Amino acid sequence: MSVSTKAKCALWVLSLKCKLPSSHNLAQGALAAGLCTQAALCASAVVYASVVTRHISDACVWWGVSVGVAAGLLVAANLALSGAVFGAWRLVSKHSVAPNEWPSYLLLRGTNLVQPSNLKYKIFIGCGSALVFIAFVISLFILIVVAINIPDDGIPAQIPGLYDEVDITYDSNGVPHIYARNLHDGVMSIALVHSRDRLWQMEMSRRIGLGTISEILGNATLDDDIAMRTLGINRAVKRSVATLSNESRAILQAYCDGVNAFLDTDPQLPLEFTLLGVKPRRWELEDTISWLKVIDLYMAHDIRRQGIFWNFLTKQGLSYSRIMELYPAINRTATATTLSLEDMANGHGPTVGEVCPASEIDPPEMIDYINSFIKKMPSPSSTPTASPSPTFHNTFSGGVEASNNWVVHGNITGTGPILANDPHLQFSSPAIWYQVHLVVEGQYDIYEATFPGFPLGLIGKTTLGSWGVTNGGVDVQDLYVIDTDQNDPSRYIYNGSSLSFITETEEILVKDSSPYILNVRLTQDAMPILTDNYMDSNGDTVLALKWATIDPTIIDTTMDALSMINFNLSDWESFTEAVSLLIGPVLNLVFTSSNGDIGYRLGGLVPQRRSGYSGKFPVPGNGSYEWTGYIPFDELPWSRNPPKGWLATANNMITPVGYEKPGCILPGCFDVHFREQRISDSLRDLSSRKLRNITAFDMQNLQMDSVSMRFQSLIPVLQQLQLHPELLSAESQDWVDNLLLWDGVSSIGSHEAAVFNSWAQELLRVDKNETGQDQWGSYFNAWMHIVSTFTGQENNPGCEGDCTAFAARAFNNAFKRVGSSDQWGVTVHQAAFNHLVMNSAPSPIRCVFNRHVADGGDCDTVQSACPADSDDMQCTAGPGFRAVFSYEDDAGEGIMGAAATEWMLSLGQSGNPLSSHYDDMMKVWSQGQLFEATSYTVESTYHISPR
């Protein structure tokens, strides 16, 4: 029996067993069902393609196009399959074939088609069958992906744990407006909207803080967990939870209950959970506190600076004096400080001349001690940062970020006080910040910028007052050089006595690997030894960290401080009381009230060092240089309603000469003064004009100011280059002339900004051989060392004898990075919002999550946007949130009426890349626009009841 005969017999038997009814109506129904199925599959492909191309085509054009093409091919394949089915039905209908004979009949017709004499038909049918199969697989995949990733925009109608009913209205920008009848339900509702929109971000936040990232990401992030566990962030979190006040504990518990109530609804989890095979565990009090500790660490630059200086000494062999040339002291008589003596005089600030936080310069014996470590240690494998591994380095490493805030009195605005704030942190996707409007009936009406995973706003506005923050930059950490006991390495020498180390053992779970056992040594006063796990030492000398945040003797009242600011702010006295409770991070807080007050306070614990050291370098840990306590709160810098009518901070030096005792200084990692100077000059000019008063719109424009004082500081260098054309290429000669005619505005589209900033990047390499770092001058106030080098004020060995020639070579090299046609913010220097985890994924996945947009400004403009040292000079940090809060004195009698709340995120409210609110603010943010929060279009409304 031939193969074809066997097949016919088999199909005939099969057709008998099937016993299909002999009804052409059934055949028509089957055909209709098949066509509907194909249509559904085609529709799913088209919908998916439209969603993807709409929301990610700007981020990755080829990916959006490829999805669209795939959808088109799928439609074609499905149509071909439908045509084949329809053709088969027409064939059997034409010859009046009974349904139970269809299989044998069609096979007979098919075998006649695929005889060797009909090879072309054989190829056609084979290829068609393969295409149909592929189309089916793709359709099934698309249906699954769409089912997983369509944003779950709903909120359950009933939530257990609520005391009363709650209404949540989402506006057209994706901002939730929560209307609750009590504070407990309001906080629970904040947890609900956080979880709905940013659940994966919350998962990562708590894992970063508690040092458990490797449990889901494996060995690639083990160094991050080791760093956090060594520093003791997880241990500090537990202590903070244990000492919470009843009021703060109730707020955090309500937030936990809200997150867990959301998880109990079995929601569709964000795509990241599915891709990594992770399920979120229950939310606990420690999870909420942990991210606040990470922010505290992120804003404390001292461990990083002292670690870098330690490297300079022990690895590079630089002396104390040379390091101080590389990191020059801030000239407080020639630069803008946050406060002037006039701002604090006559009861507007603290009594001056009474505090001594640290010595302005180190005495000779301390300098000799520091120099004794030159080349003493082996080359460190890394410097102490919050995250030594590259995976999360850009997220919380304590890099060079910046922030601005300022307040203007109603005497200048002519209406009421105005507060402006734009905090600059690392960009990420989704955005770090999340906007919330909370109304608690008869009690609170708050607009606030929150961190998902934390219920309280660090920036916000109520009907009675507004507040904003920047990093205080004050030196709050010290590294101590600990001498181990030569007779017993498990002990160390302190005040002439041999004391035993305390050892904490930590188990770190690692995905696809055995748990990592980490032993952390602590001194008797609980300072962690950093050199055991991610800093090298020579075996005899180790470094320990002193920091109030991880000090077990400090009762952490930071939650109380933030709670009071959010829910009790009404006037200067309530503002002062709240700030007095802040432990860390150390912040510059500005304030306005509806009664017309403006003010500034430095909040957080600031160490009181013994006289005899500056706090810039590691010091002996033998007991001679212990802190004597903390500066009393009333003696920290503050000002209320200063005569000039405004106050501004920009991470710069806070205090003027005369605030401290002679020979003393408030130490810190302060930024170069350019932003503060530009803000102060602008506010002074605005307040002195006669034609009209300062408005909120003026504040928005000032936030986007991109006048480059960095460029202005190098004009003398350009003038010198113009005198030496023989050192420059022809192209460079033309561009030196062009830059000297430039207005210095680093705006989007500027060719001059692209060339200048590329040149500035090359100038930063002058100290590369000495420091071992490509661009030392990008750190803090170190830019002034670059200015001194190239304006002839300093003899820098990095210039190899001729700094003008080095500057010329740098200018020529600038065109290796940019061309004359490059535009700032367009072809180079775009703001890059990269996903914390998926940025390491293959390009098709990475493009779904990452975003880029045009960005102006440079490292030292008010619109801070420092370019990376890369060919495209991407900007990876900047103002992820902008706000302008104002009150209006409608009656002109000091009684504030209408208030405006204008704000904007850098990306959007949602954490789902397929949501329209994932990046709907990005392009508007790029243009510097804000939207009015109190006037909005309703997108959706949810009424939630207790269950």
Side-chain angles (χ1 to χ4, degrees):
M1 186 181 293
S2 67
V3 174
S4 61
T5 303
K6 290 181 179 180
K8 295 173 188 176
C9 292
L11 284 173
W12 181 76
V13 172
L14 180 62
S15 67
L16 290 178
K17 290 185 177 180
C18 290
K19 297 186 181 299
L20 296 174
S22 57
S23 172
H24 286 277
N25 290 333
L26 179 61
Q28 292 174 345
L31 174 61
L35 291 175
C36 289
T37 301
Q38 297 304 310
L41 292 174
C42 291
S44 71
V46 172
V47 169
Y48 181 75
S50 66
V51 169
V52 171
T53 53
R54 174 186 174 190
H55 295 304
I56 70 169
S57 58
D58 286 342
C60 195
V61 174
W62 69 266
W63 179 242
V65 171
S66 66
V67 172
V69 171
L73 291 175
L74 180 58
V75 170
N78 284 330
L79 289 176
L81 179 59
S82 300
V85 173
F86 181 75
W89 178 74
R90 292 286 297 170
L91 188 64
V92 298
S93 297
K94 180 179 179 181
H95 295 88
S96 300
V97 180
N100 62 325
E101 296 177 354
W102 287 357
S104 58
Y105 178 79
L106 290 174
L107 184 60
L108 285 173
R109 299 284 296 186
T111 52
N112 291 331
L113 286 175
V114 297
Q115 295 299 321
S117 60
N118 295 303
L119 182 61
K120 60 180 180 180
Y121 295 107
K122 182 177 182 180
I123 295 174
F124 174 79
I125 291 176
C127 293
S129 300
L131 182 62
V132 168
F133 177 74
I134 293 172
F136 174 76
V137 172
I138 293 176
S139 299
L140 184 62
F141 172 77
I142 288 175
L143 286 175
I144 293 173
V145 170
V146 169
I148 291 175
N149 291 291
I150 289 178
D152 185 4
D153 292 333
I155 295 179
Q158 291 185 319
I159 292 293
L162 289 176
Y163 295 165
D164 210 326
E165 295 178 339
V166 173
D167 291 297
I168 300 178
T169 296
Y170 276 89
D171 65 27
S172 57
N173 293 300
V175 176
H177 301 259
I178 300 169
Y179 300 90
R181 290 172 173 80
N182 57 78
L183 181 58
H184 169 273
D185 290 355
V187 174
M188 274 194 72
S189 298
I190 291 176
L192 286 173
V193 296
H194 278 176
S195 303
R196 170 192 184 267
D197 293 327
R198 302 286 190 90
L199 188 60
W200 172 255
Q201 185 180 19
M202 294 166 62
E203 179 71 19
M204 286 304 299
S205 296
R206 64 174 169 181
R207 287 187 177 277
I208 289 171
L210 297 175
T212 62
I213 317 172
S214 302
E215 184 179 355
I216 61 173
L217 296 182
N219 281 298
T221 57
L222 182 57
D223 283 345
D224 297 273
D225 288 342
I226 290 174
M228 301 303 277
R229 303 281 190 101
T230 300
L231 291 168
I233 299 300
N234 58 326
R235 298 186 292 275
V237 166
K238 292 179 180 178
R239 288 192 295 269
S240 294
V241 169
T243 58
L244 284 170
S245 66
N246 292 335
E247 293 80 5
S248 292
R249 183 176 295 275
I251 290 172
L252 290 185
Q253 189 60 57
Y255 188 82
C256 288
D257 293 344
V259 177
N260 291 327
F262 179 82
L263 294 176
D264 288 341
T265 64
D266 193 25
Q268 284 185 315
L269 296 177
L271 178 58
E272 295 94 332
F273 285 100
T274 303
L275 292 176
L276 296 172
V278 177
K279 288 188 176 181
R281 59 172 173 79
R282 307 288 289 177
W283 197 266
E284 299 176 357
L285 298 178
E286 288 81 359
D287 299 324
T288 303
I289 292 292
S290 65
W291 188 241
L292 188 60
K293 298 296 183 185
V294 171
I295 295 300
D296 194 352
L297 173 62
Y298 184 86
M299 293 187 176
H301 296 301
D302 324 300
I303 183 177
R304 186 167 186 252
R305 181 189 61 179
Q306 289 192 27
I308 290 171
F309 287 1
W310 186 251
N311 265 0
F312 287 175
L313 284 165
T314 62
K315 178 182 177 182
Q316 302 300 122
L318 301 183
S319 67
Y320 175 95
S321 60
R322 180 55 182 156
I323 294 173
M324 289 296 93
E325 290 175 347
L326 293 170
Y327 187 81
I330 295 174
N331 184 350
R332 291 194 284 172
T333 61
T335 61
T337 55
T338 294
L339 300 180
S340 66
L341 291 178
E342 290 75 17
D343 293 335
M344 298 182 285
N346 301 320
H348 293 287
T351 303
V352 300
E354 292 188 354
V355 299
C356 186
S359 297
E360 193 163 11
I361 59 174
D362 289 300
E365 60 270 20
M366 176 58 72
I367 295 175
D368 290 342
Y369 174 80
I370 293 169
N371 283 335
S372 71
F373 289 98
I374 293 177
K375 284 289 187 180
K376 186 175 181 180
M377 303 287 187
S379 299
S381 57
S382 63
T383 59
T385 69
S387 175
S389 81
T391 307
F392 297 102
H393 176 75
N394 286 335
T395 300
F396 59 103
S397 63
V400 187
E401 287 76 47
S403 298
N404 307 313
N405 64 16
W406 60 86
V407 285
V408 182
H409 197 276
N411 292 340
I412 297 177
T413 67
T415 53
I418 300 176
L419 180 149
N421 200 175
D422 53 307
H424 309 164
L425 299 173
Q426 286 288 341
F427 289 144
S428 68
S429 183
I432 289 180
W433 299 94
Y434 184 90
Q435 297 164 302
V436 175
H437 176 212
L438 171 64
V439 177
V440 177
E441 189 175 290
Q443 299 181 62
Y444 310 112
D445 188 347
I446 310 169
Y447 294 87
E448 54 189 355
T450 65
F451 292 122
F454 190 76
L456 303 177
L458 265 69
I459 301 166
K461 176 177 177 291
T462 72
T463 54
L464 298 177
S466 65
W467 70 99
V469 300
T470 66
N471 187 357
V474 177
D475 193 343
V476 296
Q477 298 169 324
D478 274 338
L479 292 177
Y480 285 88
V481 180
I482 305 296
D483 293 323
T484 55
D485 191 331
Q486 297 297 313
N487 299 317
D488 186 350
S490 67
R491 305 177 71 85
Y492 66 100
I493 304 301
Y494 182 81
N495 276 338
S497 301
S498 177
L499 304 178
S500 61
F501 286 109
I502 300 169
T503 300
E504 295 275 356
T505 300
E506 303 263 357
E507 182 183 68
I508 302 176
L509 300 180
V510 184
K511 183 180 180 180
D512 299 328
S513 186
S514 301
Y516 182 89
I517 305 303
L518 175 69
N519 291 316
V520 180
R521 286 193 299 171
L522 307 167
T523 61
Q524 287 291 321
D525 52 352
M527 292 194 300
I529 304 302
L530 303 186
T531 42
D532 285 352
N533 298 307
Y534 66 102
M535 288 182 66
D536 293 337
S537 73
N538 64 356
D540 296 328
T541 305
V542 297
L543 293 180
L545 174 65
K546 179 75 171 180
W547 183 25
T549 295
I550 59 174
D551 187 341
T553 66
I554 299 296
I555 296 177
D556 186 7
T557 53
T558 298
M559 266 297 302
D560 295 329
L562 295 176
S563 176
M564 289 189 67
I565 290 176
N566 277 254
F567 302 124
N568 297 91
L569 182 66
S570 60
D571 51 26
W572 172 257
E573 288 72 25
S574 60
F575 174 68
T576 296
E577 183 182 2
V579 177
S580 70
L581 298 174
L582 186 62
I583 302 299
V586 173
L587 299 172
N588 294 311
L589 292 103
V590 293
F591 149 86
T592 66
S593 72
S594 60
N595 64 18
D597 275 339
I598 67 169
Y600 160 86
R601 274 199 177 275
L602 181 69
L605 289 185
V606 177
Q608 175 67 66
R609 293 171 174 84
R610 293 184 181 178
S611 61
Y613 74 105
S614 65
K616 295 178 180 178
F617 288 85
V619 295
N622 56 15
S624 301
Y625 294 90
E626 291 292 328
W627 298 348
T628 60
Y630 298 92
I631 298 176
F633 174 71
D634 288 338
E635 297 179 11
L636 290 174
W638 62 271
S639 180
R640 178 188 182 187
N641 297 329
K644 65 185 179 186
W646 49 267
L647 293 161
T649 82
N651 311 114
N652 56 297
M653 173 67 77
I654 299 170
T655 55
V657 174
Y659 162 75
E660 308 90 355
K661 291 180 180 178
C664 300
I665 197 170
L666 183 66
C669 299
F670 300 116
D671 204 354
V672 67
H673 66 281
F674 290 158
R675 282 183 296 114
E676 172 73 20
Q677 187 73 60
R678 179 65 184 168
I679 294 169
S680 297
D681 289 347
S682 298
L683 291 175
R684 189 177 296 108
D685 291 343
L686 288 169
S687 63
S688 64
R689 69 187 181 186
K690 304 299 183 181
L691 295 179
R692 66 179 180 85
N693 294 317
I694 292 178
T695 66
F697 185 69
D698 292 324
M699 303 300 94
Q700 292 183 40
N701 288 337
L702 184 52
Q703 287 179 331
M704 294 299 292
D705 186 278
S706 56
V707 173
S708 176
M709 295 186 71
R710 173 171 282 208
F711 164 73
Q712 294 176 8
S713 70
L714 291 183
I715 287 178
V717 184
L718 289 169
Q719 293 170 335
Q720 188 68 19
L721 290 179
Q722 198 174 40
L723 299 176
H724 295 278
E726 72 280 1
L727 299 176
L728 299 167
S729 66
E731 185 177 32
S732 294
Q733 290 178 40
D734 291 339
W735 272 102
V736 167
D737 295 338
N738 290 341
L739 288 182
L740 285 172
L741 297 174
W742 181 39
D743 60 6
V745 179
S746 294
S747 56
I748 294 174
S750 170
H751 300 290
E752 292 87 353
V755 173
F756 167 72
N757 281 283
S758 182
W759 175 48
Q761 294 283 62
E762 296 301 320
L763 291 178
L764 292 172
R765 305 188 197 285
V766 67
D767 302 305
K768 179 178 179 179
N769 292 335
E770 275 192 291
T771 64
Q773 300 193 22
D774 277 347
Q775 296 191 332
W776 163 245
S778 62
Y779 292 90
F780 310 117
N781 192 54
W783 176 257
M784 299 314 297
H785 154 69
I786 299 296
V787 174
S788 297
T789 291
F790 292 104
T791 56
Q793 302 173 52
E794 178 186 331
N795 183 20
N796 192 331
C799 291
E800 299 177 352
D802 188 344
C803 287
T804 300
F806 186 99
R809 290 194 299 274
F811 208 105
N812 294 333
N813 289 336
F815 291 97
K816 296 179 180 179
R817 190 196 310 260
V818 300
S820 299
S821 61
D822 275 313
Q823 294 178 286
W824 195 240
V826 181
T827 57
V828 294
H829 189 258
Q830 290 199 327
F833 303 96
N834 296 327
H835 192 276
L836 191 59
V837 175
M838 297 307 165
N839 191 46
S840 302
S843 181
I845 296 178
R846 185 167 65 247
C847 288
V848 172
F849 292 91
N850 292 354
R851 295 291 186 272
H852 300 84
V853 72
D855 199 14
D858 64 30
C859 290
D860 298 310
T861 56
V862 178
Q863 183 193 359
S864 181
C866 204
D869 182 23
S870 59
D871 289 342
D872 55 11
M873 290 192 286
Q874 279 190 346
C875 174
T876 58
F881 171 75
R882 295 190 184 104
V884 175
F885 302 142
S886 59
Y887 297 94
E888 297 181 10
D889 184 0
D890 294 332
E893 301 175 353
I895 302 173
M896 299 302 152
T901 301
E902 298 169 295
W903 56 4
M904 180 67 66
L905 290 184
S906 55
L907 272 182
Q909 287 281 93
S910 176
N912 190 317
L914 299 183
S915 167
S916 61
H917 293 306
Y918 185 72
D919 60 3
D920 55 338
M921 300 186 196
M922 182 176 67
K923 291 183 179 179
V924 183
W925 168 88
S926 174
Q927 299 164 3
Q929 299 179 32
L930 307 181
F931 67 85
E932 173 52 56
T934 59
S935 176
Y936 57 85
T937 301
V938 175
E939 184 175 83
S940 57
T941 299
Y942 303 95
H943 182 77
I944 309 171
S945 303
R947 186 173 68 189

